Amino acid sequence: MTEATRAADGTADASVDVAAEGARIAASMGRVVQGKDGVVRLALVVLLAEGHLLIEDVPGVGKTTLAKALAGSIDATVRRIQFTPDLLPSDVTGVAVYDQESREFEFKPGAVFANVVVADEINRASPKTQSALLECMEERQVTVDGVSYELARPFVVMATQNPLEMEGTYPLPEAQRDRFTARVSMGYPDPAAELAMLDDRATADPLTALRPVASAAMVRSLVDAVGRLHVSEAVRRYVVAIVEATRRSPELRLGASPRAGLQLLRAARASAALDGRDHVLPDDVQALAVPVLAHRLLLSSEAAVGRRSTEQVVTSLLASVPVLRGR
């Protein structure tokens, strides 16, 4: 690409332009998800960071639409799983079935075998079924009856979640939340976007007219290019300092894990590449700290009583951690 990435030997890699390709995917998604440019960008950052996205908000604000818009903009395999209380782990991962003719067990892949997996209303399923996603989200493989099956690249889980106060929901365990690179809340659209939505969707669903603007192979190239972005020692130390600050904070009883630091840096790389830069800035880290870290943290009882949110705590910590400079 032009200046967004560098090859391992330090020379410019002109094979892929992350900023240009990312803009095409974002524009495609924006035709469906109107007035939510920041949310669309975060979804794209998560995709290029080889992560997973948790979309949390009340029903009807477009959580599933966002996931489908990303899936529809990429020429890749897509599977949607509707999580319900009676969903079984084998429905997600697959199951080995005995074949009477061959007298051997044959593996029947589950819905997780796709490039983009839309896990709709993930917190309506039991914790046992939720845990079926743990291995595939972290190791990108599924193990059934002692045999491991590798998942295709790219692989991204886009899960929607209803607020816990709503009927029939189960809280996601800490181990599950920690595997999501970022969490985003859709929020209500502004009046202009909502008015446009009433006009555009009066007779047709714009999702049906969506056509892929990038292939799975292109996305893999973009992911590889993002992974080659230069990150200075100062920026790496800054990421570690932020993560350590969450562990020392008296307002938190659970700080960020080492996985959180890794995913924060990967997301910062993706954000820098989308901006057309060949290096990561502290600004990239700061912009993504809240969506990447907040959902992994647990408030202390005093902070909870004081009605503090984990987002507020992360914002306060960013103000207290000095920005390190250098290359």
Side-chain angles (χ1 to χ4, degrees), residues 62-131:
K63 300 188 300 295
T64 307
T65 300
L66 173 66
K68 287 184 174 181
L70 176 61
S73 299
I74 302 171
D75 187 11
T77 56
V78 180
R79 296 290 297 273
R80 178 176 180 267
I81 309 173
Q82 181 64 55
F83 279 72
T84 56
D86 60 346
L87 188 72
L88 299 176
S90 58
D91 296 328
V92 177
T93 60
V95 63
V97 179
Y98 185 72
D99 190 330
Q100 294 282 359
E101 294 184 1
S102 64
R103 296 186 179 181
E104 294 180 350
F105 282 94
E106 181 182 357
F107 178 65
K108 300 292 185 182
V112 79
F113 283 83
N115 294 119
V116 180
V117 177
V118 181
D120 211 3
E121 296 184 304
I122 188 173
N123 61 334
R124 289 200 180 277
S126 67
K128 182 178 181 180
T129 301
Q130 291 177 12
S131 66

Side-chain angles (χ1 to χ4, degrees), residues 232-245:
S232 68
E233 182 179 354
V235 171
R236 295 198 300 271
R237 289 182 178 274
Y238 184 51
V239 170
V240 171
I242 293 173
V243 171
E244 285 187 337

Side-chain angles (χ1 to χ4, degrees), residues 2-232:
T2 53
E3 294 184 358
T5 61
R6 291 189 182 275
D9 60 359
T11 60
D13 179 6
S15 61
V16 61
D17 189 331
V18 178
E21 294 296 334
R24 292 178 63 212
I25 299 174
S28 174
M29 296 174 63
R31 287 194 285 270
V32 177
V33 185
Q34 297 173 324
K36 296 292 179 182
D37 294 344
V39 174
V40 168
R41 179 184 170 90
L42 182 59
L44 195 52
V45 164
V46 169
L47 174 69
L48 299 186
E50 281 197 299
H52 310 287
L53 182 64
L54 180 61
I55 312 165
E56 184 180 62
D57 217 318
V58 296
V61 294
K63 300 188 300 295
T64 307
T65 300
L66 173 66
K68 287 184 174 181
L70 176 61
S73 299
I74 302 171
D75 187 11
T77 56
V78 180
R79 296 290 297 273
R80 178 176 180 267
I81 309 173
Q82 181 64 55
F83 279 72
T84 56
D86 60 346
L87 188 72
L88 299 176
S90 58
D91 296 328
V92 177
T93 60
V95 63
V97 179
Y98 185 72
D99 190 330
Q100 294 282 359
E101 294 184 1
S102 64
R103 296 186 179 181
E104 294 180 350
F105 282 94
E106 181 182 357
F107 178 65
K108 300 292 185 182
V112 79
F113 283 83
N115 294 119
V116 180
V117 177
V118 181
D120 211 3
E121 296 184 304
I122 188 173
N123 61 334
R124 289 200 180 277
S126 67
K128 182 178 181 180
T129 301
Q130 291 177 12
S131 66
L133 287 171
L134 292 177
E135 180 186 15
C136 63
M137 290 177 68
E138 177 64 17
E139 302 174 41
R140 284 169 170 74
Q141 68 176 25
V142 169
T143 301
V144 177
D145 293 339
V147 181
S148 296
Y149 303 90
E150 188 175 351
L151 298 172
R153 287 186 65 207
F155 174 71
V156 57
V157 174
M158 301 191 67
T160 69
Q161 175 175 253
N162 292 322
L164 294 179
E165 297 79 10
M166 303 197 70
E167 185 177 353
T169 59
Y170 298 86
L172 291 181
E174 289 80 5
Q176 185 86 61
R177 293 202 307 271
D178 197 43
R179 280 165 168 78
F180 284 101
T181 299
R183 178 184 65 181
V184 65
S185 294
M186 295 293 296
Y188 292 111
D190 59 57
E194 194 160 7
L195 182 61
M197 189 186 308
L198 293 177
D199 293 335
D200 295 343
R201 305 189 183 189
T203 58
D205 185 351
L207 275 171
T208 59
L210 204 61
R211 295 294 179 266
V213 296
S215 65
M218 172 57 72
V219 173
R220 287 194 296 270
S221 298
L222 296 176
V223 169
D224 292 341
V226 165
R228 293 194 295 268
L229 253 71
H230 173 71
V231 181
S232 68

